[in-house]
Amino acid sequence: MSKRERLFWFLLSFLLFLSHFTIPDRVKAVSRETEMYLNIFHEALKFIRMDYVEEVKEADLFKGAIRGVLSSLGDPHSRFLDEDEFKEHKEETRGSYGGIGIEVTYRNGSILVISPIDGTPAKKAGILPGDRIVEIDGKQTRKMTIPDAIKIMRGKIGSSVKIKIKRKGHDELLDFSFVRKLIQIHYIKSEYISKQKIGYIRLTQFMGFENTLEEFQKTLHSLLKKGARSFIIDLRMNPGGLLQMATEISDLFLPEGKVIVSVRGRGGKLIQVSKSSSGDKTLEKIPLLVLIDKGSASASEIFAGAIKDNKRGLILGEKSFGKGSVQNIYSLPHDTGLALTIQKYYTPSEKSIHGIGIQPDVVVESLKPRDFEKKALIKLFKSSFIETFVKKHPDGYNRKNRQRFLKELNRMSIHLSREIALSLLKKEYNLNHETVFDLEFDPQLRKAIQILGKKK
């Protein structure tokens, strides 16, 4: 069989696979139509090879053809992964990769930030959920796919990348420069709040399945041994991850037989209903509160939806992102892969949150700049003032330095509320030793502790 024939039959097999041609009485008719368009494709390819003004690599033509098939689905989450992208995906699933630490999706014609990842350059620089990336290294993103954007943002550790952001409420584009770092994700952070006897667990992603699930369980029981009588599960800025892990962690807190999530496929056909098993008897009745925000997506919303709909605990914060589709990763020949949306999931009350999100039981806004502060923040971010101030006064976030900082801002005519200004200063001082949480500038967590403190 010639190389051309092998390529032809590979593409045919791929198209048949995507189309799910499993109904016998349709195969014959569909096959004729498929054969017609494959002949058209073959002829078009022949003319490109013979007459196109520039020589094109054959591999690029076929990769483009596969991506074209997937783009016709109109689904940004279904995509072809070439050798490098498939390798990066496996590295990310294991918990490490090179880049700036940002989760993105495609919505309303642009690349949208779901959330930055804790401890990464993107998080430290102030990238926010809902930011729209309009330019990466001088390249407009209007016609970029998500894989294209991710590929440019990731790269060799120590190399630089620049992005431009359109942020809601800002007239000007925001410029960010990053030095790529090895993104090693530590998925679980915890703290025992002894005064109120509350166990606090921050889960940054539902990834690294076996290790993360085991660590999550160990953390819960460690906090119980310390005296925890209630739990806060913090899923803010958690962009999601593995569906199975979301159901396993939900199962820990639910009594047997409760619906966690249902999954529907093509035409709304019910594929699967995940229910809780025996769970963990020591956790079934312990008071529980889940924190979410607009950076909480996908698996985070499965967990929050299961807890809310089963009336197992309170959801507090802001409405979540609203990503309710399930992707499967298929291995293809030659170390390539296919991410394909195969299902949508529904909460126990049979609600789809896709494009809608989870509404908290208790709405508490995070600390946000008011309209008059936004231009002042742009001016501040464009300078290196905060970083320079911290270097000049290395003795820490103390009363004297706080007063100095506020005076300097006033002298520079940068008008910010005391809370916003000091939160920025404290963040800069803590960059090299991030704390698990910061109650001083976290009204959502303060409210959560107040609510659970009354349940002692």
Side-chain angles (χ1 to χ4, degrees), residues 90-159:
K90 288 189 282 188
E91 287 173 350
E92 184 177 351
T93 304
R94 286 194 296 267
S96 65
Y97 59 93
I100 65 174
I102 193 169
E103 291 283 338
V104 295
T105 188
Y106 193 85
R107 183 175 287 182
N108 298 328
S110 60
I111 293 172
L112 188 74
V113 175
I114 297 176
S115 70
I117 298 167
D118 274 359
T120 64
K123 177 73 171 181
K124 292 175 181 179
I127 298 292
L128 298 175
D131 283 348
R132 295 188 182 274
I133 301 175
V134 298
E135 190 177 293
I136 309 171
D137 272 350
K139 298 176 181 177
Q140 297 288 321
T141 61
R142 283 194 303 270
K143 294 184 179 179
M144 274 189 196
T145 63
I146 287 180
D148 290 337
I150 291 173
K151 198 168 187 177
I152 298 172
M153 286 190 286
R154 293 185 182 177
K156 188 176 179 181
I157 294 167
S159 61

Side-chain angles (χ1 to χ4, degrees), residues 139-361:
K139 298 176 181 177
Q140 297 288 321
T141 61
R142 283 194 303 270
K143 294 184 179 179
M144 274 189 196
T145 63
I146 287 180
D148 290 337
I150 291 173
K151 198 168 187 177
I152 298 172
M153 286 190 286
R154 293 185 182 177
K156 188 176 179 181
I157 294 167
S159 61
S160 299
V161 61
K162 295 181 179 180
I163 67 173
K164 287 188 177 181
I165 292 287
K166 174 63 180 172
R167 181 170 292 170
K168 190 175 180 181
H170 290 253
D171 296 328
E172 302 174 28
L173 296 180
L174 304 182
D175 296 318
F176 291 87
S177 294
F178 299 97
V179 174
R180 295 183 180 95
K181 293 186 178 181
L182 176 64
I183 308 300
Q184 291 183 306
I185 305 168
H186 302 288
Y187 298 116
I188 295 174
K189 297 177 182 179
S190 66
E191 189 67 62
Y192 177 55
I193 307 170
S194 57
K195 185 178 180 181
Q196 291 86 4
K197 294 183 169 38
I198 296 171
Y200 170 89
I201 300 178
R202 172 158 175 72
L203 182 61
T204 59
Q205 276 186 286
F206 288 81
M207 298 290 264
F209 182 75
E210 291 181 1
N211 293 338
T212 304
L213 180 61
E214 184 181 349
E215 186 184 348
F216 190 88
Q217 289 177 288
K218 285 181 178 177
T219 302
L220 284 168
H221 286 281
S222 173
L223 291 168
L224 284 171
K225 284 181 181 178
K226 289 179 180 179
R229 295 180 183 174
S230 58
F231 282 102
I232 294 171
I233 309 298
D234 191 347
L235 301 181
R236 293 175 296 177
M237 298 287 189
N238 182 323
L242 303 173
L243 172 67
Q244 185 184 353
M245 186 175 169
T247 59
E248 292 281 358
I249 290 182
S250 301
D251 190 25
L252 295 174
F253 296 99
L254 295 171
E256 187 174 358
K258 297 292 184 180
V259 173
I260 297 172
V261 64
S262 60
V263 179
R264 295 183 179 273
R266 184 179 294 184
K269 181 180 179 183
L270 183 64
I271 304 296
Q272 179 185 351
V273 177
S274 295
K275 292 186 177 181
S276 55
S277 55
S278 55
D280 189 325
K281 297 296 183 185
T282 60
L283 298 171
E284 281 184 7
K285 293 183 180 180
I286 194 165
L288 184 66
L289 190 148
V290 182
L291 293 174
I292 62 170
D293 64 9
K294 59 185 177 182
S296 308
S298 190
S300 295
E301 294 169 302
I302 290 174
F303 179 83
I307 298 302
K308 180 178 181 178
D309 285 2
N310 285 299
K311 303 188 186 309
R312 175 60 188 83
L314 282 178
I315 312 299
L316 186 148
E318 300 165 291
K319 189 168 71 170
S320 62
F321 185 82
K323 180 184 178 294
S325 60
V326 180
Q327 286 72 45
N328 198 15
I329 305 294
Y330 297 93
S331 294
L332 297 178
H334 308 295
D335 296 318
T336 61
L338 173 68
L340 192 67
T341 297
I342 56 170
Q343 294 149 354
K344 288 187 177 179
Y345 66 77
Y346 295 76
T347 65
S349 60
E350 284 295 304
K351 292 178 182 175
S352 169
I353 56 88
H354 199 62
I356 301 168
I358 300 284
Q359 182 66 32
D361 300 303

